């Protein structure tokens, strides 16, 4: 990566397997996001210690509110300022709590949803998490001085969530995108509008950073941004055509041609993305809760992938 900038990458980039980042200046450093549980975050912070012992963490920027980017916050010392967009702070109060996630791990939610959720969430340990909220918030944009280095934070949301902040380190040519970018893995729209996500891709491309660290998946460059832009352009084309033909959401999901995006991990997220687009096209489309959406996604998997 660029000088004194590091990415902490968790394979394979699926649910909860998120990335983080570290930017060191002279005598200070900045963390980008914590991880989904305390053991994962502890492991990361101790691996970073050779750097943070010399350049202690002074700031942590949260890219967005999802637990896989915030659940480790309490492990940062009180002297570390946690910074996030104001809307991120608001959304953190509405996320599924760690207790709810633990309940989902053990609940019997039926033969389709339970295996789907277990496969995705069983690896994580949600015990002991006490959500720590941001200390400082901003609306659109912020520049931080990290030991003499200028680090820019831009809120390009709402898109994935109500606020989606990217962290740009111009002197190193590195951009941390949070979940505005999934690489090799299907992005999911919790909030939208989808057009705003495409606009966010254009803004990220205009930053012209050669090294791009996604929220999930391996380090990429501008081509990784173009790929996500391509996914959403394709999704809108397919969704709008299905809607114009009068197809229901279920029919649209069953018949969509994912083209080159079909091989991306968690392709079933197309159901949530189509649902979001249908609501944009017709606000009377009923809203669905997260478990309802994940049931539809699990069913979509079952019909697309098997039974073998
Ligand atoms: Zn994430």
């Amino acid at each position: 990566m660029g000088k004194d900038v590091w990415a902490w990458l968790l394979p394979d980039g699926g649910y909860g397997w998120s990335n983080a980042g570290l930017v060191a200046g002279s005598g200070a450093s900045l963390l980008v996001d914590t991880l989904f549980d305390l053991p994962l975050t502890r492991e990361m912070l101790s691996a970073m210690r050779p750097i943070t012992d010399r350049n202690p963490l002074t700031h942590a920027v949260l890219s967005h509110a999802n637990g896989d980017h915030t659940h480790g916050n309490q492990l940062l010392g009180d002297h570390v300022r946690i910074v996030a967009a104001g809307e991120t702070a608001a959304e953190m109060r509405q996320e599924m709590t760690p207790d709810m996630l633990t309940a989902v791990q053990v609940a019997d939610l039926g033969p389709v949803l339970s295996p789907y959720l277990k496969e995705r969430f069983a690896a994580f340990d949600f015990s002991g998490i006490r959500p720590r909220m941001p200390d400082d918030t901003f609306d659109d944009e912020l520049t931080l001085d990290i030991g003499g280095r200028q680090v820019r934070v831009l809120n390009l949301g709402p898109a994935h969530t109500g606020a989606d902040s990217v962290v740009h380190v111009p002197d190193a040519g590195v951009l941390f995108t949070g979940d505005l970018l999934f690489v090799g893995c299907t992005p999911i729209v919790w909030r939208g509008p989808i057009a705003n996500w495409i606009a966010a891709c254009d803004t990220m491309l205009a930053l012209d950073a050669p090294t791009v660290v996604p929220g999930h998946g391996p380090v990429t460059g501008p081509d990784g941004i173009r790929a996500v832009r391509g996914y959403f352009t394709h999704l809108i084309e397919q969704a709008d055509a299905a809607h114009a033909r009068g197809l229901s959401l279920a029919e649209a999901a069953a018949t969509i041609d994912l083209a080159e995006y079909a091989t991306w991990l968690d392709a079933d997220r197309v159901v949530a993305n189509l649902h979001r687009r249908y609501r944009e096209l017709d606000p009377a489309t009923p809203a669905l809760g997260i478990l309802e959406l994940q049931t539809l996604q699990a069913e979509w998997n079952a019909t697309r992938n098997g039974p073998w």
Side-chain angles (χ1 to χ4, degrees), residues 18-121:
S18 48
N19 298 330
L22 181 65
V23 181
S26 169
S29 58
L30 162 78
L31 183 70
V32 182
D33 283 342
T34 61
L35 302 174
F36 207 11
D37 68 17
L38 299 184
L40 284 170
T41 305
R42 243 181 232 118
E43 181 189 6
M44 172 177 78
L45 292 175
S46 79
M48 289 174 170
R49 205 147 288 142
I51 301 148
T52 55
D53 279 350
R54 276 181 287 121
N55 307 291
L57 281 176
T58 53
H59 296 79
V61 170
L62 306 178
S63 61
H64 65 291
N66 290 166
D68 54 334
H69 302 261
T70 60
H71 275 172
N73 290 359
Q74 75 200 65
L75 297 178
L76 304 173
D78 290 342
H79 57 283
V80 179
R81 304 296 295 180
I82 298 184
V83 181
E87 183 62 19
T88 294
E91 279 193 322
M92 283 173 71
R93 296 188 176 85
Q94 292 152 21
E95 283 285 295
M96 276 177 90
T97 65
D99 285 349
M100 286 159 73
L101 287 164
T102 301
V104 162
Q105 283 177 320
V106 297
D108 181 1
L109 296 166
V112 176
L113 187 55
S114 273
Y116 178 90
L117 292 176
K118 283 204 173 78
E119 191 186 324
R120 283 158 184 77
F121 295 111

Side-chain angles (χ1 to χ4, degrees), residues 136-158:
D136 302 313
T137 59
F138 66 98
D139 290 329
D140 300 323
E141 187 169 348
L142 181 74
T143 300
L144 294 169
D145 182 311
I146 305 297
R149 292 183 91 165
Q150 303 295 301
V151 177
R152 291 181 73 208
V153 187
L154 307 171
N155 171 14
L156 306 182

